[in-house]
Amino acid sequence: MSKLAATFRLIRAGWIMTREGVISALPAEGLSGLPAFGHRVAGLLARRRARTARRSERMSRAINKLGPSYVKLGQFLATRPDVVGTEVADDLALLQDQLDFFPMEASVKAIEGSLGRTVGDLYVSLGEPIAAASIAQVHPAYIRTDGEDRKVAVKVVRPGVRQRFNNDLESFFMVAQWQERYVPATRRLRPIEVTRTLAQTTRIEMDLRLEAAALSEIGENTKDDPGFRVPTVDWERTGRDVLTLEWIDGIKMSDIDGLRAAGHNLVGLAETLIQSFLRHTLRDGFFHADMHPGNMFVDDRGHIVAVDFGITGRLGKKERRFLAEILYGFITRDYVRVAEVHFEAGYVPHHHDVASFAQAIRAIGEPIHGQPAETISMAKLLTLLFEVTELFDMETRPELVMLQKTMVVVEGVSRSLDPHFNMWKASEPVVGDWIRRNLGPQGILADAREGVGAMLHLARQAPELVARADRLFKEMDRMAEQGFRFDDETAKAIGKAEARHTRSGRVALWVIAICLIIITYALLF
């Protein structure tokens, strides 16, 4: 029944996207046969007003009709140009995550249910909502601390959004499974894994305690950084369905005229923004992955304040090192090293030739070196790099794609503040310092210390590992001499199963039983 319901939900979604002209607006190059015929039919079924609208407008209307789950899906796919293509991703990035407010009574119920206290006990006052998105809405409120009233922002999860998302998620998985089964060319993109990532990130976003934890972690990481900060969290008034944090009075970074009128240094803000993002990425390995202008303010001190940490990205130390080496290799025109890093990281399968891949990398790097520095886009470089690696069967790396998309957005904001923005000059103090610390003598010593620590940890575990290995070998010898043994219940269960299934089914059950025994022995011994 659940699959049938998911199928009907997909049919409804397809009909809405057809009527709003989304299907007919998608690229049709390369389509032939039945898909091309379907594309033409979709154009005929689209509403008249939809046929003249821009693709981004069509998508916005359709996705908002489909509800919060599809809004979140659209926002997520906007960060995955490798999956939907650069043009569609750019259109999805324009989606306005603005839904209708839900009733004040529902917010009060959610707050009191999550925190176990009355709203009157928690807040001096709780105002009407001022912004509503797919997952939650925001209320202004006042709390009393040290005898003074202080303004805060209260974010409350939308009622029923979890159940609605879980229902729609089943449909998303169904589409991903069909795609992997019937469109072999897209298996490299791992659509099922992409859907799992969507499910995980959205579930995290719907638990506001985790967003509070992200705010707290980035707040600690950036406490000494110049010109950048995040709001403080009020943990006493934060739970799964409610997040209370510092109220930010400032000018949105999308309001260029407002920033200029307030006397802020736009060139300095552009430099601070890109340097802050690179510090978070390279130094901390933890970055805000939704840094569009609406999520960033400039306060009266000229500091950039980032909000809405529902979507974040992480890079391990190894990934950060590979990223730095790739960027440094382009700067120094060492294309062979850039290619080698891709193979060392496992990004490109080893059956490909390093020299051929280096040749493809050179095709990206050489045109860049003939341009003025202020026209070279690091984000564009990464985009071209991912396009080339597609030719060499590089599988999708979600963490790198999210980084690339965020870098596109951040660099775009910086260029909107300063049209002559020099990406390389602005990023050199951060990237150069990181490379000197981590790829130079200091980094080698740090790696050596980590290696020694790992060896000592392994040495401490040696007696236990030897004992477990000895027990495992003894059990293997015993099984070789006496064969497998089952208890009575297991034998009866297998006998009943054999009576119910065909010969091939009986063979499968025996294989499963043997695998279970091997796994059990491995876990216990």
Side-chain angles (χ1 to χ4, degrees):
M1 287 299 292
S2 62
K3 285 190 176 181
L4 184 63
T7 302
F8 276 114
R9 284 194 291 268
L10 280 178
I11 293 172
R12 173 180 175 271
W15 175 248
I16 289 174
M17 286 191 285
T18 298
R19 290 290 286 163
E20 294 300 333
V22 175
I23 304 299
S24 59
L26 295 175
E29 294 83 0
L31 292 182
S32 60
L34 190 59
F37 175 74
H39 192 272
R40 288 195 296 272
V41 171
L44 296 174
L45 293 175
R47 297 180 192 275
R48 184 175 299 176
R49 66 174 186 179
R51 297 172 190 171
T52 58
R54 290 179 300 179
R55 184 168 58 194
S56 59
E57 294 174 356
R58 302 183 194 189
M59 289 181 175
S60 181
R61 278 201 299 265
I63 287 176
N64 281 304
K65 279 187 176 182
L66 289 168
S69 303
Y70 283 85
V71 172
K72 190 51 58 182
L73 173 65
Q75 291 174 329
F76 175 77
L77 291 177
T79 70
R80 300 300 303 268
D82 59 315
V83 175
V84 297
T86 303
E87 291 183 8
V88 174
D90 289 342
D91 287 333
L92 289 171
L94 299 176
L95 280 176
Q96 296 298 310
D97 191 5
Q98 295 177 349
L99 276 73
D100 293 335
F101 296 124
F102 53 86
M104 188 74 172
E105 295 76 14
S107 289
V108 171
K109 183 178 179 180
I111 293 170
E112 295 182 344
S114 184
L115 300 179
R117 296 164 60 184
T118 66
V119 166
D121 184 35
L122 291 163
Y123 306 101
V124 174
S125 64
L126 179 69
E128 294 291 331
I130 57 170
S134 56
I135 299 296
Q137 70 182 20
V138 178
H139 299 255
Y142 283 89
I143 62 173
R144 180 156 296 167
T145 55
D146 299 327
E148 294 184 0
D149 290 349
R150 182 165 59 90
K151 193 175 184 180
V152 293
V154 182
K155 187 174 182 178
V156 185
V157 168
R158 183 175 289 275
V161 69
R162 292 186 182 88
Q163 184 60 46
R164 177 72 179 271
F165 181 77
N166 286 335
N167 291 339
D168 288 332
L169 189 62
E170 190 172 5
S171 303
F172 299 161
F173 270 114
M174 188 178 289
V175 171
Q177 290 165 356
W178 290 344
Q179 188 176 351
E180 285 206 0
R181 181 178 299 175
Y182 300 115
V183 191
T186 64
R187 289 173 187 164
R188 181 187 70 85
L189 302 174
R190 301 188 294 181
I192 293 177
E193 186 62 31
V194 169
T195 308
R196 286 198 187 101
T197 303
L198 167 65
Q200 178 67 7
T201 56
T202 306
R203 284 174 181 144
I204 289 174
E205 193 172 355
M206 287 189 290
D207 189 335
L208 298 184
R209 294 169 298 189
L210 299 180
E211 181 177 346
L215 272 163
S216 177
E217 182 176 347
I218 290 184
E220 289 182 4
N221 292 342
T222 62
K223 61 183 179 182
D224 297 323
D225 289 358
F228 182 92
R229 70 182 186 91
V230 298
T232 56
V233 175
D234 183 340
W235 284 102
E236 180 187 353
R237 297 170 177 83
T238 293
R240 188 183 74 150
D241 295 334
V242 56
L243 167 63
T244 303
L245 64 160
E246 171 191 0
W247 181 271
I248 300 300
D249 280 318
I251 303 171
K252 283 190 176 183
M253 293 195 76
S254 56
D255 185 4
I256 304 298
D257 292 336
L259 292 172
R260 187 178 291 111
H264 292 297
N265 180 355
L266 301 189
V267 174
L269 286 173
E271 188 172 288
T272 299
L273 178 62
I274 199 67
Q275 289 181 355
S276 297
F277 172 70
L278 289 171
R279 284 192 192 95
H280 305 163
T281 303
L282 293 175
R283 181 193 64 193
D284 307 325
F286 187 41
F287 59 93
H288 191 331
D290 195 18
M291 295 182 72
H292 63 76
N295 278 345
M296 290 181 290
F297 296 82
V298 179
D299 64 20
D300 55 3
R301 295 183 297 169
H303 292 174
I304 296 172
V305 187
V307 299
D308 196 356
F309 280 75
I311 304 176
T312 55
R314 287 191 185 273
L315 290 179
K317 186 174 181 180
K318 183 176 72 172
E319 286 77 20
R320 284 180 270 163
R321 176 169 297 177
F322 288 142
L323 174 65
E325 284 210 64
I326 288 169
L327 295 176
Y328 189 68
F330 273 109
I331 293 171
T332 59
R333 303 173 74 176
D334 189 350
Y335 305 119
V336 173
R337 181 56 190 153
V338 174
E340 289 173 347
V341 168
H342 278 79
F343 280 82
E344 291 171 8
Y347 296 158
V348 178
H350 285 278
H351 64 264
H352 286 289
D353 180 55
V354 175
S356 297
F357 187 59
Q359 178 183 352
I361 297 298
R362 182 180 292 273
I364 298 173
E366 283 302 296
I368 289 176
H369 283 279
Q371 299 180 26
E374 61 269 15
T375 67
I376 301 175
S377 166
M378 187 184 295
K380 184 177 180 181
L381 185 150
L382 289 176
T383 301
L384 292 172
L385 182 61
F386 290 145
E387 290 177 359
V388 167
T389 53
E390 182 178 346
L391 302 175
F392 289 82
D393 304 317
M394 175 175 165
E395 288 194 348
T396 296
R397 306 286 301 192
E399 71 280 4
L400 295 182
V401 176
M402 184 174 285
L403 169 69
Q404 176 255 335
K405 183 62 179 178
T406 308
M407 189 173 288
V408 168
V409 174
V410 172
E411 188 176 23
V413 176
S414 293
R415 290 191 187 277
S416 69
L417 295 168
D418 177 14
H420 303 290
F421 180 68
N422 186 325
M423 179 74 174
W424 301 99
K425 183 178 178 181
S427 61
E428 197 284 329
V430 177
V431 177
D433 181 66
W434 194 92
I435 289 174
R436 285 188 291 272
R437 286 176 176 272
N438 292 272
L439 302 185
Q442 187 175 348
I444 294 173
L445 289 174
D447 290 342
R449 284 196 299 269
E450 288 185 9
V452 170
M455 291 295 292
L456 290 174
H457 180 68
L458 185 62
R460 293 192 197 100
Q461 292 184 315
E464 181 185 350
L465 293 173
V466 170
R468 292 177 64 184
D470 182 57
R471 289 197 300 271
L472 179 60
F473 289 137
K474 286 179 180 178
E475 289 298 330
M476 291 175 66
D477 288 339
R478 188 182 66 78
M479 284 190 291
E481 292 174 1
Q482 302 177 9
F484 295 111
R485 295 196 176 195
F486 301 97
D487 58 31
D488 291 340
E489 289 186 10
T490 304
K492 288 178 182 177
I494 292 176
K496 289 180 181 178
E498 285 181 340
R500 288 196 305 265
H501 296 284
T502 62
R503 190 174 200 177
S504 60
R506 292 198 297 270
V507 171
L509 283 170
W510 275 103
V511 171
I512 293 170
I514 291 169
C515 291
L516 286 172
I517 291 169
I518 294 172
I519 292 169
T520 302
Y521 272 114
L523 291 174
L524 295 177
F525 301 98

